[in-house]
Amino acid sequence: MAATHTAIAALAKGRFDAIQVERAKPGAGEVLVKIAYASMIAFDTYITDVGFVVVDYPVILGFNGAGTVAEIGAGVTSLAVGDRVTGFQPYGQGRKDGPKGTMQEFVVMSAFTCAKVPDSIALDAAATVPDNFITSFYSLFDQLALPIPTSFPAPSPPPNHDTPILVYGAGSTTGQYALQLLHAAGYTNVIATASAKHHALLRTLGATHVFDYASPTLAADIARAVGGDGKIALALDAITAEGTIARIAEVLSPQGTVALLLPIKAGDKVAVGEAPMYWEIPADQNPLPASTTVKYVRTFTYAQNEYLKNNLMPKILPDLLASGLIQPNRVRLLDQGTFKERVGTGLDLLRNNKISGEKVIVKVP
Ligand SMILES: NC(=O)c1ccc[n+]([C@@H]2O[C@H](COP(=O)([O-])OP(=O)(O)OC[C@H]3O[C@@H](n4cnc5c(N)ncnc54)[C@H](OP(=O)(O)O)[C@@H]3O)[C@@H](O)[C@H]2O)c1
């Protein structure tokens, strides 16, 4: 009989629990990871609370996990049993045949979505990195088409290194990686918005100017920092809600490009409960002029870019972590109570928008 282990899964809309699942074997190009820590993101609440994009229950939660390689599948040469890794699990949890979530003791992952973790970094910190690091890298260097440096830090400044680039909602964990990547790539005029308590940290991560997104004078403040016509050509909306898109519309050049992290949320928060979410800006409420370019970012498909598939997690991230150019997010560690209770606490924090500048990490089991 196959070995079993504990997983935390959504069982129906509004209901989750601990379940026993069979331990899968890694197939070609895959590895089995013994998970030590898994992170939680708002998407876990979308699945649990509203059944967002769920096709079949149960849905094992979790998109990121850090642990130790327990078994390797055929053809895997980049990783070995015993390696400390942190990995990203693209969405598939809502389909019976899709990848399973990381909120379980063992999970099969594609080797190319796993990065080796340098000894200097603890596994709980490493678990904060994958999804939002990939999202930031993919948004900047694929969707917004910034050139990928030959190495990090960039050996020479990129073309237009002083062009203003806006990272809206840089207090988010995604925003923090975007600032660090822009800095390592040599960009010198990065404008960030975040609540005031994050400003000092965000400057150390690479922001040139930081403004409070709640300020009534935000657009004027940004325009002053930008100079010229006061408009910005490139923006990453690291929150992507109706409210954040509206604020960006005030400062984006009519010929500018903005990357939006799907789904678009009603209101102006990351978690919106039962309020609607959209896959594109509804035409009747689009604050952006038709001349702007909107890039709808779907990190789950980042590996369609072959270069990123072969390099981002296998090579680029381990180097960035080892050199200290990418610092993991601050950890909000949930290690008390049962496995289910830890996940319950994390869901509560996320659904009530109680997370600020840190990542929810669950000790497994
Ligand atoms: N499409 C994709 O593939 C993809 C991938 C990853 C993430 N995402 C999306 O990206 C967003 C960020 O994810 P995350 O995990 O990085 O989030 P997170 O770290 O949980 O975000 C929390 C932060 O959001 C900030 N925030 C909330 N409302 C804001 C607003 N109106 N304006 C500016 N900042 C605001 C808060 O900043 P303060 O502390 O400064 O208030 C808080 O620190 C989420 O909406 C997620 O769904 C999409």
Side-chain angles (χ1 to χ4, degrees):
M1 212 176 79
T4 63
H5 61 259
T6 307
I8 304 293
L11 302 181
K13 185 179 163 190
R15 195 161 71 83
F16 75 98
D17 211 337
I19 60 173
Q20 287 297 303
V21 294
E22 277 192 11
R23 192 157 315 158
K25 301 284 288 178
E30 296 177 334
V31 292
L32 179 71
V33 180
K34 182 176 192 319
I35 297 291
Y37 297 95
S39 80
M40 300 192 69
I41 57 175
F43 213 103
D44 291 300
T45 70
Y46 307 162
I47 291 171
T48 310
D49 296 351
V50 294
F52 189 64
V53 292
V54 172
V55 180
D56 299 305
Y57 289 103
V59 181
I60 299 174
L61 301 177
F63 295 90
N64 299 282
T68 312
V69 175
E71 202 177 327
I72 59 171
V76 175
T77 53
S78 55
L79 296 170
V81 170
D83 282 347
R84 298 165 78 243
V85 292
T86 188
F88 170 60
Q89 193 73 306
Y91 188 73
Q93 285 92 322
R95 301 190 313 266
K96 276 205 169 65
D97 58 348
K100 303 291 183 271
T102 55
M103 200 57 76
Q104 53 178 325
E105 294 174 80
F106 290 86
V107 71
V108 170
M109 305 178 100
S110 296
F112 71 80
T113 65
C114 293
K116 280 193 206 171
V117 177
D119 291 342
S120 55
I121 295 185
L123 285 178
D124 56 351
T128 68
V129 181
D131 63 331
N132 288 337
F133 167 79
I134 294 172
T135 299
S136 298
F137 199 104
Y138 177 60
S139 299
L140 296 171
F141 299 113
D142 177 295
Q143 301 287 288
L144 292 178
L146 297 177
I148 301 178
T150 50
S151 59
F152 290 96
S156 57
N160 307 318
H161 67 92
D162 54 358
T163 195
I165 300 176
L166 175 66
V167 178
Y168 197 98
S172 69
T173 48
T174 307
Q176 292 180 23
Y177 292 124
L179 294 184
Q180 295 180 77
L181 284 168
L182 287 167
H183 182 63
Y187 291 93
T188 54
N189 196 2
V190 177
I191 296 167
T193 72
S195 53
K197 66 185 171 194
H198 300 309
H199 288 190
L201 170 71
L202 299 184
R203 283 199 186 87
T204 69
L205 296 184
T208 320
H209 307 277
V210 197
F211 299 105
D212 189 339
Y213 62 80
S215 164
T217 60
L218 179 67
D221 296 342
I222 291 178
R224 247 193 318 279
V226 169
D229 68 357
K231 296 293 184 191
I232 286 183
L234 282 181
L236 167 63
D237 184 347
I239 306 303
T240 303
E242 288 167 349
T244 60
I245 297 169
R247 298 307 300 265
I248 290 170
E250 295 173 35
V251 296
L252 191 69
S253 159
Q255 281 70 47
T257 303
V258 58
L260 300 180
L261 305 186
L262 294 177
I264 298 167
K265 279 69 73 180
D268 72 347
K269 292 284 175 228
V270 174
V272 293
E274 299 274 348
M277 291 186 273
Y278 310 99
W279 295 110
E280 55 184 45
I281 305 173
D284 59 344
Q285 39 180 288
N286 189 351
L288 298 165
S291 52
T292 53
T293 303
V294 178
K295 295 287 183 181
Y296 293 108
V297 179
R298 298 166 189 266
T299 302
F300 298 133
T301 62
Y302 86 96
Q304 287 172 7
N305 177 323
E306 277 289 315
Y307 177 82
L308 295 187
K309 175 178 174 181
N310 295 326
N311 291 279
L312 189 52
M313 294 298 275
K315 297 179 185 151
I316 296 174
L317 179 59
D319 287 350
L320 286 169
L321 288 173
S323 64
L325 287 169
I326 286 288
Q327 302 282 340
N329 295 133
R330 243 175 44 223
V331 170
R332 176 76 167 259
L333 183 62
L334 304 178
D335 59 355
Q336 304 297 306
T338 65
F339 192 12
K340 178 185 173 184
E341 285 165 351
R342 293 173 208 156
V343 172
T345 304
L347 288 170
D348 252 352
L349 289 167
L350 288 160
R351 71 165 66 91
N352 294 310
N353 290 294
K354 290 272 170 55
I355 291 303
S356 175
E358 58 191 3
K359 189 100 164 181
V360 174
I361 299 295
V362 172
K363 185 172 177 301
V364 179

